[in-house]
Amino acid sequence: MNTMKNHAVALGIALSYIFPSAADAGAYLAATAGTGPDGYRSTELRGNADLLDTPLNLNALVFRSDSSAGDPASQSVLGLNWSLSKLVNLGASHTKQSNSQVDVSGNSLSFALMLDTLWQGDLRTKLELKHGSSAHTFKQLPQTVKNDTINQSANSLVLSQDIAIPVSIYVSYDRYLYDHDPKQAAQYLMKISPRRSSDSRSSLLSFPDSTTNFGITWLASDALSVDLSSIKTLTQLDQTQKTRRLGIDYQVTDHLNFTAAVSRVSSTAVVTKQIIFPNIQALTIPAGTTVIPSSNDTYIELGLGWSF
């Protein structure tokens, strides 16, 4: 709970810089609550605002999840976007994630091109490149397990394209690399821990190898937009994770909007090869041990947002 308080304080500090400028520039604040299997519940608070008359936009997020079948997880993000020109956008962010087993701290940079400005097209075309790095620091590994900190790097390519005035599509690909093999540490922690939620932000030990995402957004009316997406992740533990999500955003008034989303999350089982921990025979994991069972769960999120 102290971690969550620290994240909330960080968001509060960020928002104290954001909302004094709201009178002179646009600002937005939203709260979302989620529910799922095994008593899963989540809360999220996020905000963003333009900084006075500058081309800068500050954004912040605090997320927390918990369930009866696993330990709580939290995430906080602080980011800054810079519209350098009509063609180029730059972004930077700092992220912290935590649960009872691992702390993750990382930074990312993004470079986006609004390509349609080159040919002055009516349909938006956006290409974005991202690079991030993060450190996974484990809290409860035995001394015989080396590399209690694993560094991860991620490179991402995102393409968004309007295919008609009310319809747009987007596709992304993420590739992850590690300075040490994370399998031994991750499988040990999974062996001694209860089943965790399939929510990506609470599954800090999945160690993805690659992720692909495809989505389509439909502006059904001036007030209603619908988004459908499919995400597939292949992990270092030979697990396949899939998320299919349907979300809506309804503008109730000029300032108030309502959001709702249903996600179907599935994952294959993680079955180990033999893992031997020197001098700790009791911790040896025999080949064929299922450390994470397969799952197929549904998650629901409801939210309200306010534009200033």
Side-chain angles (χ1 to χ4, degrees):
M1 185 64 68
N2 289 334
T3 301
M4 183 60 180
K5 289 181 179 178
N6 293 337
H7 292 331
V9 169
L11 179 61
I13 294 173
L15 295 181
S16 70
Y17 286 97
I18 289 177
F19 290 104
S21 66
D24 300 310
Y28 179 74
L29 181 65
T32 302
T35 184
D38 299 325
Y40 173 86
R41 57 195 181 277
S42 67
T43 55
E44 178 183 286
L45 179 65
R46 54 191 169 90
N48 70 81
D50 299 330
L51 298 183
L52 298 175
D53 295 325
T54 71
L56 301 176
N57 180 277
L58 183 67
N59 57 84
L61 175 148
V62 169
F63 171 89
R64 183 175 176 84
S65 67
D66 201 353
S67 75
S68 58
D71 64 326
S74 60
Q75 179 189 47
S76 63
V77 181
L78 183 62
L80 184 67
N81 294 320
W82 180 19
S83 295
L84 189 60
S85 67
K86 292 183 178 180
L87 175 63
V88 178
N89 291 331
L90 303 177
S93 66
H94 176 70
T95 301
K96 285 186 175 293
Q97 294 177 270
S98 181
N99 63 13
S100 64
Q101 303 163 324
V102 62
D103 289 324
V104 181
S105 179
N107 300 294
S108 67
L109 297 172
S110 65
F111 173 79
L113 293 174
M114 307 302 294
L115 296 178
D116 56 282
T117 60
L118 296 177
W119 51 81
Q120 298 181 346
D122 294 328
L123 300 178
R124 183 179 63 96
T125 302
K126 180 181 178 181
L127 177 66
E128 185 173 13
L129 303 175
K130 297 180 181 179
H131 175 75
S133 61
S134 59
H136 293 63
T137 303
F138 301 104
K139 301 178 181 179
Q140 48 181 318
L141 289 179
Q143 293 181 353
T144 54
V145 179
K146 298 180 180 179
N147 304 323
D148 59 354
T149 297
I150 294 177
N151 296 305
Q152 177 197 78
S153 63
N155 294 293
S156 306
L157 174 66
V158 185
L159 178 64
S160 305
Q161 175 65 58
D162 291 347
I163 59 176
I165 294 301
V167 180
S168 62
I169 60 173
Y170 54 91
V171 61
S172 66
Y173 178 77
D174 308 301
R175 179 69 174 174
Y176 302 87
L177 298 173
Y178 303 88
D179 64 345
H180 297 99
D181 188 345
K183 293 181 181 179
Q184 187 183 54
Q187 289 177 337
Y188 166 75
L189 292 172
M190 291 173 182
K191 181 177 184 292
I192 66 173
S193 301
R195 177 180 180 271
R196 288 174 300 280
S197 161
S198 297
D199 182 87
S200 61
R201 285 173 288 194
S202 61
S203 300
L204 301 184
L205 301 177
S206 295
F207 292 104
D209 181 67
S210 64
T211 298
T212 54
N213 180 18
F214 177 80
I216 182 169
T217 301
W218 173 41
L219 185 60
S221 69
D222 290 340
L224 176 65
S225 65
V226 180
D227 183 81
L228 180 64
S229 64
S230 177
I231 303 172
K232 180 179 180 180
T233 298
L234 304 177
T235 77
Q236 293 282 318
L237 300 179
D238 298 323
Q239 183 186 47
T240 300
Q241 303 171 346
K242 295 181 180 179
T243 299
R244 293 174 175 84
R245 180 182 182 274
L246 174 65
I248 64 168
D249 187 321
Y250 183 72
Q251 196 70 35
V252 182
T253 69
D254 289 341
H255 296 284
L256 178 67
N257 73 298
F258 167 77
T259 60
V262 177
S263 299
R264 189 68 174 172
V265 180
S266 63
S267 61
T268 59
V270 174
V271 181
T272 69
K273 300 177 181 178
Q274 187 178 35
I275 302 294
I276 298 176
F277 296 91
N279 304 321
I280 312 182
Q281 186 175 0
L283 295 182
T284 296
I285 304 175
T289 300
T290 299
V291 291
I292 298 182
S294 61
S295 64
N296 196 2
D297 301 317
T298 300
Y299 296 84
I300 299 174
E301 293 178 309
L302 301 175
L304 290 174
W306 186 266
S307 300
F308 294 84

mmCIF file of all heavy atoms in Angstrom, residues 2-3 15 33 38 57 60 69-70 91 101 134 136 147 159 190-191 197 199 213 276 285 294 307:
data_model
loop_
_atom_site.group_PDB
_atom_site.id
_atom_site.type_symbol
_atom_site.label_atom_id
_atom_site.label_comp_id
_atom_site.label_asym_id
_atom_site.label_seq_id
_atom_site.Cartn_x
_atom_site.Cartn_y
_atom_site.Cartn_z
ATOM 1 N N ASN A 2 2.052 1.184 0.676
ATOM 2 C CA ASN A 2 2.929 2.347 0.671
ATOM 3 C C ASN A 2 3.377 2.693 -0.736
ATOM 4 O O ASN A 2 3.536 3.861 -1.076
ATOM 5 C CB ASN A 2 4.151 2.079 1.556
ATOM 6 C CG ASN A 2 3.797 2.056 3.032
ATOM 7 O OD1 ASN A 2 2.816 2.678 3.429
ATOM 8 N ND2 ASN A 2 4.589 1.343 3.825
ATOM 9 N N THR A 3 3.583 1.649 -1.575
ATOM 10 C CA THR A 3 3.972 1.903 -2.966
ATOM 11 C C THR A 3 2.898 2.677 -3.688
ATOM 12 O O THR A 3 3.170 3.618 -4.435
ATOM 13 C CB THR A 3 4.234 0.574 -3.681
ATOM 14 O OG1 THR A 3 5.272 -0.123 -3.003
ATOM 15 C CG2 THR A 3 4.654 0.820 -5.121
ATOM 16 N N LEU A 15 0.150 16.603 -11.392
ATOM 17 C CA LEU A 15 -1.084 17.328 -11.685
ATOM 18 C C LEU A 15 -1.049 18.753 -11.141
ATOM 19 O O LEU A 15 -1.716 19.641 -11.674
ATOM 20 C CB LEU A 15 -2.285 16.575 -11.108
ATOM 21 C CG LEU A 15 -2.555 15.203 -11.731
ATOM 22 C CD1 LEU A 15 -3.788 14.575 -11.099
ATOM 23 C CD2 LEU A 15 -2.727 15.304 -13.235
ATOM 24 N N ALA A 33 -12.273 2.096 -13.366
ATOM 25 C CA ALA A 33 -12.308 0.963 -12.446
ATOM 26 C C ALA A 33 -12.510 -0.308 -13.258
ATOM 27 O O ALA A 33 -13.279 -0.328 -14.222
ATOM 28 C CB ALA A 33 -13.432 1.125 -11.426
ATOM 29 N N ASP A 38 -11.428 -14.201 -10.134
ATOM 30 C CA ASP A 38 -10.663 -14.378 -8.890
ATOM 31 C C ASP A 38 -10.624 -13.107 -8.051
ATOM 32 O O ASP A 38 -9.605 -12.784 -7.431
ATOM 33 C CB ASP A 38 -9.228 -14.842 -9.192
ATOM 34 C CG ASP A 38 -9.185 -16.184 -9.906
ATOM 35 O OD1 ASP A 38 -10.043 -17.039 -9.609
ATOM 36 O OD2 ASP A 38 -8.317 -16.359 -10.779
ATOM 37 N N ASN A 57 3.082 18.908 -23.826
ATOM 38 C CA ASN A 57 1.937 18.303 -23.150
ATOM 39 C C ASN A 57 2.456 17.335 -22.095
ATOM 40 O O ASN A 57 3.234 16.430 -22.391
ATOM 41 C CB ASN A 57 1.048 17.559 -24.151
ATOM 42 C CG ASN A 57 -0.163 16.915 -23.488
ATOM 43 O OD1 ASN A 57 -0.074 15.819 -22.948
ATOM 44 N ND2 ASN A 57 -1.287 17.599 -23.557
ATOM 45 N N ALA A 60 0.300 12.045 -16.937
ATOM 46 C CA ALA A 60 0.629 11.242 -15.767
ATOM 47 C C ALA A 60 -0.432 10.169 -15.576
ATOM 48 O O ALA A 60 -1.586 10.344 -15.971
ATOM 49 C CB ALA A 60 0.731 12.113 -14.520
ATOM 50 N N ALA A 69 -6.435 -14.086 -5.791
ATOM 51 C CA ALA A 69 -5.553 -15.169 -6.220
ATOM 52 C C ALA A 69 -4.114 -14.716 -6.425
ATOM 53 O O ALA A 69 -3.270 -15.515 -6.812
ATOM 54 C CB ALA A 69 -6.067 -15.778 -7.519
ATOM 55 N N GLY A 70 -3.802 -13.463 -6.184
ATOM 56 C CA GLY A 70 -2.447 -12.990 -6.438
ATOM 57 C C GLY A 70 -2.140 -11.739 -5.653
ATOM 58 O O GLY A 70 -3.003 -11.171 -4.982
ATOM 59 N N GLY A 91 8.521 12.416 -27.751
ATOM 60 C CA GLY A 91 7.964 12.042 -26.458
ATOM 61 C C GLY A 91 8.994 11.379 -25.571
ATOM 62 O O GLY A 91 9.941 10.751 -26.051
ATOM 63 N N GLN A 101 7.201 -9.278 -5.795
ATOM 64 C CA GLN A 101 8.349 -10.037 -6.261
ATOM 65 C C GLN A 101 9.399 -9.205 -6.974
ATOM 66 O O GLN A 101 10.580 -9.550 -6.958
ATOM 67 C CB GLN A 101 7.872 -11.140 -7.223
ATOM 68 C CG GLN A 101 6.853 -12.073 -6.605
ATOM 69 C CD GLN A 101 6.107 -12.854 -7.658
ATOM 70 O OE1 GLN A 101 5.826 -12.350 -8.736
ATOM 71 N NE2 GLN A 101 5.778 -14.085 -7.338
ATOM 72 N N SER A 134 14.477 -0.794 -19.286
ATOM 73 C CA SER A 134 13.989 -0.909 -17.914
ATOM 74 C C SER A 134 14.813 -1.929 -17.157
ATOM 75 O O SER A 134 15.407 -2.849 -17.753
ATOM 76 C CB SER A 134 12.502 -1.320 -17.892
ATOM 77 O OG SER A 134 12.315 -2.565 -18.544
ATOM 78 N N HIS A 136 14.644 -4.768 -14.122
ATOM 79 C CA HIS A 136 13.819 -5.622 -13.268
ATOM 80 C C HIS A 136 14.679 -6.040 -12.074
ATOM 81 O O HIS A 136 15.653 -6.776 -12.245
ATOM 82 C CB HIS A 136 13.349 -6.864 -14.013
ATOM 83 C CG HIS A 136 12.391 -6.597 -15.127
ATOM 84 N ND1 HIS A 136 12.726 -5.853 -16.246
ATOM 85 C CD2 HIS A 136 11.088 -6.962 -15.296
ATOM 86 C CE1 HIS A 136 11.683 -5.788 -17.052
ATOM 87 N NE2 HIS A 136 10.684 -6.448 -16.499
ATOM 88 N N ASN A 147 22.230 -12.891 -10.996
ATOM 89 C CA ASN A 147 21.562 -11.855 -11.786
ATOM 90 C C ASN A 147 20.205 -11.481 -11.192
ATOM 91 O O ASN A 147 19.158 -11.724 -11.782
ATOM 92 C CB ASN A 147 21.385 -12.320 -13.241
ATOM 93 C CG ASN A 147 22.689 -12.723 -13.884
ATOM 94 O OD1 ASN A 147 23.720 -12.122 -13.638
ATOM 95 N ND2 ASN A 147 22.636 -13.773 -14.693
ATOM 96 N N LEU A 159 2.220 2.147 -36.653
ATOM 97 C CA LEU A 159 1.690 2.809 -37.843
ATOM 98 C C LEU A 159 0.189 2.984 -37.679
ATOM 99 O O LEU A 159 -0.535 2.020 -37.403
ATOM 100 C CB LEU A 159 1.979 1.994 -39.104
ATOM 101 C CG LEU A 159 1.423 2.553 -40.417
ATOM 102 C CD1 LEU A 159 2.073 3.897 -40.740
ATOM 103 C CD2 LEU A 159 1.635 1.568 -41.564
ATOM 104 N N MET A 190 7.596 -17.843 -9.967
ATOM 105 C CA MET A 190 6.276 -18.363 -10.282
ATOM 106 C C MET A 190 5.966 -19.622 -9.473
ATOM 107 O O MET A 190 4.821 -19.872 -9.101
ATOM 108 C CB MET A 190 6.175 -18.661 -11.775
ATOM 109 C CG MET A 190 6.173 -17.416 -12.639
ATOM 110 S SD MET A 190 6.264 -17.811 -14.392
ATOM 111 C CE MET A 190 6.317 -16.169 -15.092
ATOM 112 N N LYS A 191 6.989 -20.428 -9.181
ATOM 113 C CA LYS A 191 6.791 -21.658 -8.424
ATOM 114 C C LYS A 191 6.356 -21.378 -6.994
ATOM 115 O O LYS A 191 5.528 -22.095 -6.424
ATOM 116 C CB LYS A 191 8.080 -22.489 -8.422
ATOM 117 C CG LYS A 191 7.972 -23.828 -7.678
ATOM 118 C CD LYS A 191 9.268 -24.592 -7.808
ATOM 119 C CE LYS A 191 9.157 -25.980 -7.154
ATOM 120 N NZ LYS A 191 9.027 -25.882 -5.686
ATOM 121 N N SER A 197 -3.122 -12.485 -11.897
ATOM 122 C CA SER A 197 -4.049 -12.034 -12.933
ATOM 123 C C SER A 197 -3.361 -11.997 -14.285
ATOM 124 O O SER A 197 -2.149 -11.839 -14.393
ATOM 125 C CB SER A 197 -4.570 -10.640 -12.579
ATOM 126 O OG SER A 197 -5.106 -10.006 -13.704
ATOM 127 N N ASP A 199 -3.806 -9.619 -16.309
ATOM 128 C CA ASP A 199 -3.614 -8.219 -16.678
ATOM 129 C C ASP A 199 -2.136 -7.939 -16.907
ATOM 130 O O ASP A 199 -1.279 -8.304 -16.091
ATOM 131 C CB ASP A 199 -4.150 -7.300 -15.581
ATOM 132 C CG ASP A 199 -4.013 -5.843 -15.945
ATOM 133 O OD1 ASP A 199 -4.927 -5.315 -16.592
ATOM 134 O OD2 ASP A 199 -2.987 -5.243 -15.588
ATOM 135 N N ASN A 213 0.183 -5.929 -32.345
ATOM 136 C CA ASN A 213 -1.115 -5.351 -32.012
ATOM 137 C C ASN A 213 -1.764 -4.823 -33.282
ATOM 138 O O ASN A 213 -1.119 -4.119 -34.072
ATOM 139 C CB ASN A 213 -0.924 -4.218 -30.997
ATOM 140 C CG ASN A 213 -2.251 -3.570 -30.596
ATOM 141 O OD1 ASN A 213 -3.318 -4.137 -30.790
ATOM 142 N ND2 ASN A 213 -2.176 -2.374 -30.036
ATOM 143 N N ILE A 276 17.461 -26.438 -11.986
ATOM 144 C CA ILE A 276 18.194 -26.864 -10.800
ATOM 145 C C ILE A 276 18.810 -25.646 -10.127
ATOM 146 O O ILE A 276 19.518 -24.858 -10.762
ATOM 147 C CB ILE A 276 19.291 -27.877 -11.162
ATOM 148 C CG1 ILE A 276 18.665 -29.137 -11.781
ATOM 149 C CG2 ILE A 276 20.107 -28.260 -9.921
ATOM 150 C CD1 ILE A 276 19.684 -30.145 -12.260
ATOM 151 N N ILE A 285 13.076 -27.697 -9.896
ATOM 152 C CA ILE A 285 11.792 -27.802 -10.587
ATOM 153 C C ILE A 285 11.917 -28.894 -11.640
ATOM 154 O O ILE A 285 12.672 -28.753 -12.597
ATOM 155 C CB ILE A 285 11.410 -26.468 -11.244
ATOM 156 C CG1 ILE A 285 11.398 -25.341 -10.197
ATOM 157 C CG2 ILE A 285 10.054 -26.571 -11.930
ATOM 158 C CD1 ILE A 285 11.138 -23.974 -10.790
ATOM 159 N N SER A 294 -2.918 -22.666 -18.065
ATOM 160 C CA SER A 294 -3.547 -21.873 -19.127
ATOM 161 C C SER A 294 -4.744 -21.132 -18.546
ATOM 162 O O SER A 294 -5.318 -21.531 -17.524
ATOM 163 C CB SER A 294 -3.987 -22.777 -20.283
ATOM 164 O OG SER A 294 -4.935 -23.729 -19.823
ATOM 165 N N SER A 307 -13.006 16.980 -19.387
ATOM 166 C CA SER A 307 -12.153 17.903 -20.129
ATOM 167 C C SER A 307 -12.317 19.303 -19.576
ATOM 168 O O SER A 307 -13.438 19.777 -19.370
ATOM 169 C CB SER A 307 -12.525 17.893 -21.619
ATOM 170 O OG SER A 307 -12.377 16.611 -22.177
#
